[in-house]
Amino acid sequence: AISGELFARGRAGERFCVRNSGATAVVEGAGDHCCEYMTGGTALILGSTGRNFGAGMSGGVAYVWDPEGSFPSQFNPELADLESINDADAEKIRGLLERHENLTGSTRAKDILRDFGAHRSCFRKVMPRDYRAYLESRGGK
């Protein structure tokens, strides 16, 4: 996708957000190869993922809610890094959660929002190294 939004209550299958280049997508879990070859946009995954997450990811940002701490073993670190979220990320995530709850009636989003302060540390940010370098060269973070 090059633009638009997707808010889906429930889990996506394999290869979700492959080649995403500009869309915003929120789902409650995903299968193998999520965000593979992603070049832009934003993905928010509110649950477990399959293996090989972010393989070939060169742009965009993905956030994964990982209360169990299992996501690092599913992540492909070849081109991207896992980071903790900062305040700007937290605001973006909160806004997406609110929209997701409003559009889908998601009980998961509602539960996370109810105590966002406690859940904040459960989010992992997937940041492609090339995209990070580009943002830093333009004075951004």
Side-chain angles (χ1 to χ4, degrees):
I2 60 171
S3 65
E5 296 178 319
L6 169 75
F7 293 86
R9 183 177 179 177
R11 187 173 172 81
E14 291 189 7
R15 301 185 69 110
F16 181 71
C17 271
V18 168
R19 295 201 184 277
N20 180 22
S21 63
T24 296
V26 180
V27 295
E28 298 179 353
D32 294 346
H33 314 292
C34 185
C35 298
E36 186 178 34
Y37 302 115
M38 189 168 152
T39 62
T42 303
L44 174 59
I45 313 300
L46 301 173
S48 64
T49 69
R51 66 183 176 82
N52 204 34
F53 188 102
M57 187 176 175
S58 61
V61 178
Y63 301 101
V64 178
W65 181 63
D66 182 32
E68 308 299 322
S70 60
F71 179 65
S73 68
Q74 305 295 55
F75 169 66
N76 183 325
E78 186 177 332
L79 297 177
D81 295 316
L82 286 182
E83 302 177 356
S84 298
I85 64 168
N86 60 33
D87 291 341
D89 295 321
E91 290 220 11
K92 184 172 192 171
I93 291 167
R94 182 187 290 273
L96 289 171
L97 285 166
E98 289 170 352
R99 217 157 134 60
H100 185 62
E101 180 188 8
N102 289 336
L103 292 170
T104 70
S106 169
T107 54
R108 181 165 297 169
K110 183 178 182 175
D111 290 343
I112 295 169
L113 285 166
R114 184 178 299 127
D115 194 3
F116 188 74
H119 287 281
R120 179 181 165 148
S121 64
C122 297
F123 284 94
R124 303 288 170 257
K125 180 178 183 177
V126 179
M127 175 58 82
R129 288 183 208 99
D130 286 347
Y131 187 50
R132 162 76 64 212
Y134 167 76
L135 292 174
E136 288 174 354
S137 75
R138 300 190 50 102
K141 291 185 179 183

